[in-house]
Amino acid sequence: MALVLSGKRVMFMAVMFLGIWAPQAWSRSLLYDASMKERHEMWMAHYGRVYKDSAEKEKRFKIFTENLEFIESFNKAGIKPYKLGINKFADLTNEEFKSPRNGYNKMSRTTSLGAKSFRYGNITAVPSTMDWRNKGAVTPVKDQGQCGCCWAFSAVAAMEGITKLSTGKLISLSEQELVDCDTSGDDQGCEGGLMDNAFDFIIQNQGLTTEANYPYQGADGTCNTNKAANSAATITSYEDVPANDEEALLKAVANQPVSVAIDAGGSAFQFYKSGVFTGDCGNDLDHGVTAIGYGASDDSTKMQRDINAKEGLCGIAMQASYPSA
């Protein structure tokens, strides 16, 4: 039911949208023909990276070198249908990359106040491809920075999508409101949270305000109740996609953007650039993202589906949910 790319059927997602990657093109003639030291200097200038002293710079240069060797070796081997590339995380170890960004709390889903039964279960046919960006239901790429609030970005992106579908208006909503105000339970700002709990909070507090009114700071803050009171969009409930069921997930994504959790901690995810991602990853869910379509042939982050695992690639089918307006 999806467009075949490199022999793989795919689900594509706004992974960067939820906050970690935004790869930018490099001039191969400049970067790849330069010495490693020159590469590092050019990379530092491109991303505005400044180190506190020479010892820190030398440490980061060593990591940068190891990462570039990994990227180039991977791409040269050519055995996977996706490519890796240099990005702003090139001077971080994989552990450093994972720790501040992957904020999806590793816990079992519990019964929540707003959860309803799966409405798309009886659908028998879906479009061969879907891209909610083309339908104006996805806001531009956002970056969570060093704050582990991927859960908030995922919930907000799904809410922005259903708001567009129900009202005809695409509104950029506030992740920072969730970071600052949704702190009474398992959701703890930059320390992590769950999308279902975020949906519960939004329902109980009768909506979210706009990003313009309550802008993202990338850090935990004190809840600004005056700003939060100016609600711009609401949801009435949310529904959980049946766990470990990629067909059910496909039906949901065919109808609206969907919050999903994935295992995004591997080095291949750290430097993913293009193509159909086929692993390596497990199902230790640690990052909240949003599935915004399937069958894409552009530069969106694409993940193989219909693999021989009920959890889906990187656990994408394990804990998916979506709001209702």
Side-chain angles (χ1 to χ4, degrees):
M1 290 183 286
L3 183 67
V4 176
L5 297 175
S6 302
K8 308 295 182 182
R9 305 209 305 175
V10 301
M11 185 81 72
F12 67 95
M13 308 177 302
V15 174
M16 295 319 123
F17 190 99
L18 305 161
I20 52 180
W21 305 274
Q24 300 184 33
W26 282 86
S27 170
R28 299 184 72 87
S29 62
L30 289 175
L31 183 60
Y32 285 91
D33 291 341
S35 71
M36 193 62 76
K37 285 284 188 182
E38 290 171 330
R39 289 183 178 185
H40 188 223
E41 292 290 344
M42 293 166 63
W43 177 88
M44 288 174 59
H46 183 79
Y47 288 107
R49 185 77 86 248
V50 177
Y51 301 117
K52 64 181 181 181
D53 54 34
S54 59
E56 177 68 11
K57 184 176 181 180
E58 188 62 29
K59 173 185 176 181
R60 294 299 159 189
F61 171 70
K62 183 175 183 295
I63 296 169
F64 178 86
T65 300
E66 292 170 351
N67 284 334
L68 258 65
E69 289 174 348
F70 166 72
I71 291 167
E72 293 178 354
S73 175
F74 179 95
N75 290 340
K76 184 177 180 180
I79 59 176
K80 299 285 188 178
Y82 61 95
K83 297 292 186 182
L84 306 184
I86 301 165
N87 57 28
K88 67 179 181 179
F89 308 115
D91 70 342
L92 300 180
T93 67
N94 185 246
E95 286 302 313
E96 289 172 328
F97 164 77
K98 289 189 294 185
S99 59
R101 296 176 178 83
N102 293 357
Y104 186 82
N105 282 340
K106 302 177 180 69
M107 61 184 70
S108 298
R109 174 181 284 166
T110 58
T111 301
S112 300
L113 298 177
K116 305 295 182 182
S117 59
F118 182 57
R119 69 176 57 189
Y120 300 125
N122 293 328
I123 290 177
T124 57
V126 299
S128 60
T129 64
M130 177 57 67
D131 187 340
W132 287 111
R133 295 168 301 180
N134 292 341
K135 297 182 179 295
V138 181
T139 57
V141 173
K142 301 180 183 182
D143 187 348
Q144 75 185 67
Q146 299 296 311
C147 174
C149 62
C150 56
W151 57 276
F153 279 79
S154 176
V156 165
M159 184 174 171
E160 290 169 343
I162 196 61
T163 299
K164 167 64 177 179
L165 295 178
S166 62
T167 69
K169 299 178 180 179
L170 181 62
I171 305 170
S172 184
L173 298 172
S174 175
E175 292 84 10
Q176 193 66 42
E177 180 182 343
L178 288 174
V179 171
D180 291 351
C181 304
D182 180 14
T183 58
S184 61
D186 294 319
D187 293 347
Q188 293 295 318
C190 294
E191 299 303 313
L194 290 168
M195 285 80 82
D196 283 8
N197 293 346
F199 292 143
D200 275 333
F201 173 85
I202 295 166
I203 294 166
Q204 291 172 338
N205 287 270
Q206 301 181 334
L208 280 179
T209 191
T210 64
E211 182 179 26
N213 182 51
Y214 204 143
Y216 185 64
Q217 302 299 319
D220 292 322
T222 301
C223 183
N224 188 320
T225 55
N226 289 332
K227 289 184 177 181
N230 186 18
S231 177
T234 62
I235 56 174
T236 58
S237 64
Y238 69 92
E239 299 169 5
D240 291 336
V241 178
N244 303 323
D245 187 338
E246 276 197 287
E247 183 178 359
L249 177 58
L250 184 70
K251 291 178 180 179
V253 177
N255 285 276
Q256 65 183 94
V258 175
S259 289
V260 296
I262 59 173
D263 180 345
S267 293
F269 249 120
Q270 182 175 349
F271 299 113
Y272 170 87
K273 181 179 180 181
S274 63
V276 181
F277 187 80
T278 59
D280 301 316
C281 56
N283 53 26
D284 186 15
L285 305 179
D286 61 7
H287 192 50
V289 296
T290 301
I292 59 170
Y294 52 88
S297 58
D298 63 0
D299 61 353
S300 56
T301 302
K302 299 177 284 289
M303 292 181 63
Q304 180 186 2
R305 63 184 184 86
D306 294 339
I307 69 168
N308 188 27
K310 63 180 182 179
E311 300 87 1
L313 186 67
C314 305
I316 192 174
M318 293 174 67
Q319 292 195 359
S321 57
Y322 53 89
S324 302

